[in-house]
Amino acid sequence: MHPTHLRRLIAWSVIVALGGFLFGFDTAVISGGEQAIQAQWGLSDALVGQTVAMALYGTVIGALFGGWPADLFGRKRSLIWVGALFLISAVGSALAPEVYTLMAARFIGGLGVGASSVVAPMYISEVAPKAMRGRLVVIFQLNIVAGIMAAYISNYFVASQGGQSLFGGFDIWRVMLGVEILPALVYVLLITRVPRSPRWLVLKAKQDAEALSVLEQVFPPAEAAAELALIRSSDLPAAPTQGLSEFLSGRYKWPILLAFLFAFFNQTSGINAIIYYAPRIFASTGLGADAALLASAGVGTFNLVFTVVGMLLIDRLGRRTLMLIGSVGLILALGLTARAFVTEEFAAVPYLIFAYISFFAMSQGAVIWVFISEIFPNEVRAFGNSFGCGTHWVFAAIIASAFPPVAAAVGGEWLFAFFTVMMVGQLLYVAFVMPETKGKSLEELQRELLR
């Protein structure tokens, strides 16, 4: 690929993937303030769990319905609205006068998270050459973990300023949540600079000339014309039903099953429970409050480093190989953590959590958005991504909202044992069901997976 084309492609991918930075920041920033919010407003464990989970409820809605505007109005316009949702959420969270306003603002941010998880990987997969698709889509996940790490570090820095308020009387937790305003503004401004998806232009807008113009910005003219012809060839024959009815007709049952199982195991690994409640988990092992926040920043660091490892390996080793390695590592880390809670010997728990995050980041974390954005045909990719991401976030909402009361009722040993058993199920899924998608065009995968 010509260096100019490569730079342009990477720039588009990075800008679109900044939605992932907001996704990660919005997801994790609540971890630094949830205990202060609980104390200030006298919330029960169940209500603070619901306050945290409101973002996930919004995420479910955003994911389930994010494919509709992406199909109707295009990937780019949908991403502009995603940025606006994050901005509204950040302002509303920082200024919330009571818990229900905070919950509403967190719900709006969740809509942005859900929609970005559908549209951003889809956009990148539709502009990327097949040999680079894995690495470029993983930039979205890299931005998610960078956003998570930034949230942890930001929370630690804000908390280290001392006292209960900053900047003329703002509660520290309000400052933590309000920091998101700046990256949200930057994202809204930058996303206007990317072109529209060539596959959407051909198959939905029927604007082949503009699609060819976009393709010529990342391919030599002859290759751009060939890519356009390949996209045209993937246009499915007219079906008796259209849209969502066609998606649910049974024709796509195999990719639907693949996406459901992948998303299910992603969340039953316990990843969002650990990310959202990292300070609480570390504190339960005997670490002080400041040390627990600092250890949480370590979670973000390992997440970022091993996402980079996954990004470097995903187009070399393939999606399945990364998932096999990750599944074995997750089983060991979770199983040993459960044992630590049984024996009440917690010295190794921070290191086991770091190992867990490392294996998750290089496997599930790196692969999920790539795999879901690859396995559905062009014609129904928006609905497929919505389904896969919606499944992911339904289980995320259930686990995050249930974690505080369940952990208080049954103890960490049972929760981590449950996550361990789920990862055994994931290992079987990867070994016997999951197909390899590396090195194949979206159109080749469409032909292979429509059984």
Side-chain angles (χ1 to χ4, degrees):
M1 178 175 286
H2 191 278
T4 300
H5 292 164
L6 179 60
R7 286 194 296 270
R8 187 176 293 125
L9 181 62
I10 291 174
W12 294 349
S13 299
V14 169
I15 290 171
V16 169
L18 286 175
F21 182 91
L22 291 167
F23 170 154
F25 195 96
D26 191 85
T27 296
V29 71
I30 192 68
S31 69
E34 52 99 5
Q35 294 183 71
I37 293 167
Q38 182 177 19
Q40 180 171 325
W41 287 333
L43 307 180
S44 66
D45 282 346
L47 188 54
V48 75
Q50 290 303 309
T51 303
V52 172
M54 281 304 295
L56 286 172
Y57 300 148
T59 298
V60 171
I61 303 300
L64 289 174
F65 293 98
W68 175 76
D71 249 11
L72 189 61
F73 304 113
R75 292 32 166 161
K76 176 181 175 178
R77 189 176 299 179
S78 297
L79 288 170
I80 293 172
W81 281 105
V82 163
L85 290 171
F86 282 123
L87 184 59
I88 293 168
S89 173
V91 173
S93 296
L95 300 179
E98 33 67 39
V99 68
Y100 297 107
T101 303
L102 176 60
M103 292 169 80
R106 296 287 298 159
F107 180 84
I108 291 170
L111 293 176
V113 169
S116 70
S117 68
V118 172
V119 185
M122 180 165 53
Y123 176 95
I124 297 171
S125 74
E126 290 183 345
V127 300
K130 62 184 180 181
M132 299 178 62
R133 190 174 59 243
R135 282 167 286 172
L136 291 176
V137 176
V138 174
I139 293 175
F140 178 74
Q141 177 66 17
L142 185 63
N143 271 270
I144 294 174
V145 299
I148 292 170
M149 186 173 74
Y152 285 147
I153 293 173
S154 173
N155 286 349
Y156 179 73
F157 175 77
V158 171
S160 70
Q161 301 307 300
Q164 297 300 313
S165 63
L166 295 173
F167 307 121
F170 279 98
D171 297 313
I172 283 181
W173 66 263
R174 295 183 187 277
V175 178
M176 289 178 175
L177 300 183
V179 168
E180 189 179 353
I181 294 171
L182 181 59
L185 277 172
V186 171
Y187 182 68
V188 170
L189 294 174
L190 288 179
I191 199 65
T192 61
R193 300 177 63 86
V194 303
R196 296 194 285 179
S197 162
R199 284 176 168 83
W200 180 83
L201 287 166
V202 172
L203 299 174
K204 301 298 179 180
K206 308 300 181 185
Q207 295 185 23
D208 290 16
E210 184 179 345
L212 181 60
S213 175
V214 175
L215 291 169
E216 286 176 342
Q217 295 183 62
V218 292
F219 293 102
E223 291 183 29
E227 189 76 8
L228 180 63
L230 185 63
I231 296 169
R232 284 173 177 159
S233 72
S234 70
D235 199 357
L236 297 172
T241 57
Q242 297 295 326
L244 183 60
S245 297
E246 167 63 9
F247 177 70
L248 298 175
S249 67
R251 187 177 188 184
Y252 309 101
K253 60 181 181 296
W254 182 239
I256 286 173
L257 177 63
L258 291 173
F260 175 85
L261 290 174
F262 201 105
F264 170 79
F265 287 123
N266 180 277
Q267 283 307 300
T268 53
S269 70
I271 183 62
N272 273 334
I274 290 171
I275 286 175
Y276 290 169
Y277 298 105
R280 186 178 291 239
I281 292 169
F282 286 127
S284 73
T285 68
L287 292 178
D290 287 345
L293 276 175
L294 188 58
S296 300
V299 168
T301 301
F302 277 88
N303 204 354
L304 181 65
V305 169
F306 280 87
T307 297
V308 173
V309 172
M311 182 173 70
L312 295 175
L313 295 177
I314 192 168
D315 286 321
R316 294 183 180 182
L317 300 183
R319 289 55 158 157
R320 285 186 75 251
T321 301
L322 284 183
M323 288 297 295
L324 287 169
I325 295 170
S327 296
V328 173
L330 290 169
I331 291 167
L332 293 174
L334 288 166
L336 290 172
T337 302
R339 180 181 180 276
F341 275 90
V342 171
T343 61
E344 297 186 353
E345 296 175 358
F346 296 122
V349 167
Y351 304 104
L352 290 171
I353 295 297
F354 293 156
Y356 165 88
I357 289 292
S358 301
F359 281 111
F360 182 92
M362 68 176 289
S363 59
Q364 271 276 13
V367 175
I368 183 169
W369 310 116
V370 178
F371 186 72
I372 290 176
S373 67
E374 290 176 326
I375 59 176
F376 290 98
N378 290 327
E379 198 66 44
V380 296
R381 181 166 297 114
F383 291 111
N385 274 34
S386 284
F387 172 81
C389 295
T391 301
H392 170 278
W393 289 115
V394 164
F395 286 105
I398 292 170
I399 290 172
S401 62
F403 186 86
V406 172
V410 305
E413 60 271 25
W414 286 105
L415 282 174
F416 282 100
F418 169 77
F419 297 149
T420 304
V421 171
M422 289 298 99
M423 290 303 90
V424 173
Q426 176 178 276
L427 180 61
L428 296 174
Y429 161 75
V430 174
F432 298 108
V433 178
M434 179 182 171
E436 180 56 73
T437 58
K438 76 163 185 172
K440 300 174 182 177
S441 72
L442 297 177
E443 291 70 28
E444 289 172 323
L445 290 170
Q446 174 175 312
R447 290 191 294 269
E448 290 181 13
L449 296 176
L450 284 186
R451 297 187 173 186

